[in-house]
Amino acid sequence: MLDIKLIRENPQGVQELLNRRTPLTETGGYDLQPLLELDRQQRELEQARSQLQARSNEIGAMIGQKIKGGSKPDAPEILALKEEGNEIKTKLSELEPGEKELIARREELLLALPNLPAGDTPIGRNETENVERRRWGDEYLPPNSDKILPHWEIGEKLGIINVEKAVKVAQARFVALMGAGAALERALISFMLDRQIAAGYLEVMPPVLINSTSLRGTGQLPKFAEESFKCGEDDLWLAPTAEVPVTNLYRDEILAAEDLPIYHCAYTPCFRREAGSYGKDTRGLIRLHQFNKVELVKFVTPETSAAEHEALVGNAEAILQALQLPYRVLELCTGDLGFGAQKCYDLEVWLPSSGKYREISSCSNFGDFQARRANIRFKEKGKKGTQFVHTLNGSGLAVGRTMAAILENYQQPDGTVRVPEVLQPYLGRSVL
RNA sequence: GGAGAGGUGGCCGAGUGGUUGAAGGCGCAGCACUGGAAAUGCUGUUUGGGGGUAACUUCAACGAGGGUUCGAAUCCCUCCCUCUCCGCCA
């Protein structure tokens, strides 16, 4: 959520940054004018209301004092005050619903606004204008990539990925991992967690059924309801990413400045409806309704968040490097930036069967956008008031896509797959 | 699912209609005492909105939302959550 004060004080500046995401036109974009108008009306009403309220409080105190001083409750001067109190109450009851309505509508508009891109986020219209920052691991690109099978075919041949059975059990876009496939998934999860724990992250295992307040806190609601699975009987949703439960661990808390930064890593299954992506990536492990992910989440002070962001990307990259998987780092342009992000790097791993880099991690700095929604603050000793923390998160990494990358990049001519060296202790074997 | 108890400030915990934003304690900060510290004493210590350059001022908040009243943490209604016991269960 954006700061209404910032919008009020610098509407042109905010509008300009929002236009970098989607230009404001007659047909689209983000128009601040209705919000500013609501805000103006609301403050006007608030002033009128609180003046009346002040007088009402005064009357209450006066009556109290008189009665304490020995006046009878039905003395004329008290009856006169009560009369005035009643008049004020009538006026207040006329003002209050209007103000509440204005506040609710302002909140609604505010919740629908995305975060402002950071000043140095490259400007662009869509994913074609993302900027490649670096590549890593060219020396590990597999030779004769034209002979490499897509991971789902290899998985099927090895008997470690079974789609048919999963579709029977659930529906399309689910897979069942069998034998070494399940073991590899588990090994990857353990490996990733161990590395991130060693890098200073505290492991958590949060609920993956989460309430709507939590989803609103991180920005998935109200705008992206159709992307998550909802449990109809309860106010519970299946977590689309561990970002939601882990960030919300600290919702409505005031942290001590010396507790920051807080680093968490979490393995969770993730559930996404993938609405609107019906034709895409219909095969394999790339786009599923259920997948595993190790997530990194940071809570930091505003001054450190940019540096913490770079470090977090480095923590995600370290996994790809340890697995010797070639990848590149993209910085998302303003037109492709996620709703809550002010700056975002995507890591894309090389998938030789399709000759493409595919997203395997997305590392975002949310600034205080989520903290404002989820009310996560910190207090510095000796300083008055509180500040919002900055939240950051990134995948470290998406496990299924990592498995896909391994199956393809580590394929051998005889149809077997080498196990990356760092995983061998976890799996107890060197070939699949 | 059945029965009961309860939700107050960073924490514990008083408070059943009238300066109660809230006693007391703990914690924390400052000052005093000390060679230094401990102990002790004194003082201070919630958050959010509005107005104001500021000093300051005003409103709101005792789980949430309604209601009664001139006035509600205190009374009434609805909802949510937590805890205990029983049942069920990995």
Side-chain angles (χ1 to χ4, degrees):
Chain A
M1 187 156 65
L2 298 180
D3 186 359
I4 184 66
K5 283 187 198 160
L6 179 71
I7 298 173
R8 197 185 285 155
E9 283 159 17
N10 187 8
Q12 295 85 4
V14 172
Q15 183 71 66
E16 196 273 319
L17 284 169
L18 287 174
N19 287 350
R20 292 187 187 184
R21 285 181 172 267
T22 315
L24 178 58
T25 62
E26 301 85 50
T27 50
Y30 305 96
D31 186 1
L32 295 177
Q33 287 314 315
L35 175 62
L36 286 166
E37 177 56 21
L38 275 180
D39 180 54
R40 196 189 56 71
Q41 291 177 12
Q42 185 273 326
R43 278 184 298 157
E44 230 175 70
L45 260 182
E46 174 170 349
Q47 280 172 48
R49 196 215 71 231
S50 69
Q51 269 178 25
L52 280 174
Q53 197 63 254
R55 177 59 188 160
S56 169
N57 290 345
E58 205 180 347
I59 290 170
M62 280 163 72
I63 294 177
Q65 274 172 1
K66 282 184 195 297
I67 288 177
K68 258 197 167 173
S71 297
K72 294 243 167 67
D74 55 356
E77 75 264 28
I78 288 184
L79 289 178
L81 284 169
K82 283 190 180 186
E83 175 61 25
E84 189 185 348
N86 273 324
E87 280 165 23
I88 289 176
K89 201 157 56 157
T90 310
K91 286 185 196 156
L92 278 174
S93 66
E94 284 161 9
L95 291 182
E96 273 169 355
E99 193 189 353
K100 277 190 178 164
E101 167 76 13
L102 286 174
I103 289 172
R105 278 164 59 199
R106 185 179 68 178
E107 181 82 356
E108 199 179 306
L109 292 183
L110 220 41
L111 281 172
L113 287 179
N115 200 359
L116 303 179
D120 60 351
T121 292
I123 297 174
R125 283 162 301 174
N126 54 45
E127 68 278 4
T128 63
E129 295 184 55
N130 292 338
V131 178
E132 183 174 316
R133 290 300 182 201
R134 56 187 174 270
R135 281 183 193 215
W136 183 93
D138 280 356
E139 66 273 32
Y140 298 113
L141 287 170
N144 50 17
S145 61
D146 50 316
K147 290 193 185 140
I148 285 183
L149 297 175
H151 65 272
W152 57 89
E153 282 183 29
I154 264 282
E156 201 176 330
K157 277 197 170 140
L158 294 174
I160 60 175
I161 299 174
N162 194 313
V163 174
E164 226 173 284
K165 289 187 190 303
V167 171
K168 178 169 63 184
V169 171
Q171 62 174 58
R173 288 195 193 277
F174 286 84
V175 299
L177 300 174
M178 313 291 282
L184 177 58
E185 183 91 355
R186 184 160 48 84
L188 280 167
I189 292 165
S190 293
F191 167 69
M192 290 176 188
L193 283 172
D194 288 348
R195 284 293 169 115
Q196 303 302 2
I197 290 164
Y201 292 82
L202 181 69
E203 184 181 0
V204 293
M205 202 170 272
V208 294
L209 281 183
I210 55 188
N211 58 38
S212 50
T213 307
S214 295
L215 282 158
R216 195 170 313 111
T218 35
Q220 281 76 16
L221 286 179
K223 257 199 135 176
F224 304 99
E226 68 283 356
E227 270 307 318
S228 292
F229 289 100
K230 184 173 184 1
C231 306
E233 298 300 302
D234 306 278
D235 178 31
L236 288 171
W237 305 63
L238 289 167
T241 159
E243 161 192 350
V244 182
V246 175
T247 304
N248 278 281
L249 289 175
Y250 296 92
R251 193 177 70 235
D252 294 323
E253 290 194 19
I254 300 174
L255 305 163
E258 56 269 29
D259 293 340
L260 299 175
I262 293 171
Y263 299 167
H264 283 310
C265 61
Y267 150 68
T268 66
C270 303
F271 304 89
R272 298 186 184 175
R273 299 179 58 85
E274 299 298 341
S277 62
Y278 298 113
K280 292 179 198 161
D281 306 311
T282 49
R283 311 198 64 183
L285 302 174
I286 300 301
R287 196 180 295 275
L288 299 170
H289 286 313
Q290 174 183 342
F291 61 97
N292 294 312
K293 186 154 61 75
V294 169
E295 186 76 0
L296 307 174
V297 180
K298 288 185 174 187
F299 303 83
V300 308
T301 58
E303 303 76 50
T304 59
S305 82
E308 292 280 8
H309 188 202
E310 302 297 325
L312 185 142
V313 176
N315 295 136
E317 287 184 67
I319 303 296
L320 286 165
Q321 291 176 10
L323 292 169
Q324 300 183 338
L325 291 169
Y327 68 90
R328 63 175 183 171
V329 181
L330 293 187
E331 180 168 5
L332 298 198
C333 72
T334 51
D336 198 28
L337 207 55
F339 181 73
Q342 62 179 38
K343 193 177 185 66
C344 180
Y345 296 103
D346 274 4
L347 305 187
E348 294 190 334
V349 71
W350 179 250
L351 287 187
S353 76
S354 54
K356 278 185 192 158
Y357 286 98
R358 289 305 304 256
E359 179 183 336
I360 196 165
S361 171
S362 189
C363 301
S364 302
N365 186 349
F366 297 88
D368 63 9
F369 185 82
Q370 292 182 327
R372 208 175 277 286
R373 289 176 161 242
N375 194 27
I376 307 172
R377 294 169 291 170
F378 73 100
K379 185 167 176 59
E380 280 182 88
K381 263 190 191 159
K383 258 200 181 179
K384 224 177 152 41
T386 57
Q387 300 175 65
F388 288 107
V389 302
H390 279 201
T391 58
L392 303 99
N393 66 55
S395 343
L397 309 161
V399 181
R401 290 187 179 185
T402 306
M403 185 186 303
I406 289 171
L407 293 181
E408 296 197 4
N409 284 283
Y410 281 80
Q411 250 174 74
Q412 306 188 105
D414 65 356
T416 58
V417 173
R418 281 191 303 124
V419 175
E421 215 167 301
V422 291
L423 289 180
Q424 289 177 14
Y426 288 88
L427 266 178
R429 58 200 285 183
S430 57
V431 177
L432 299 178

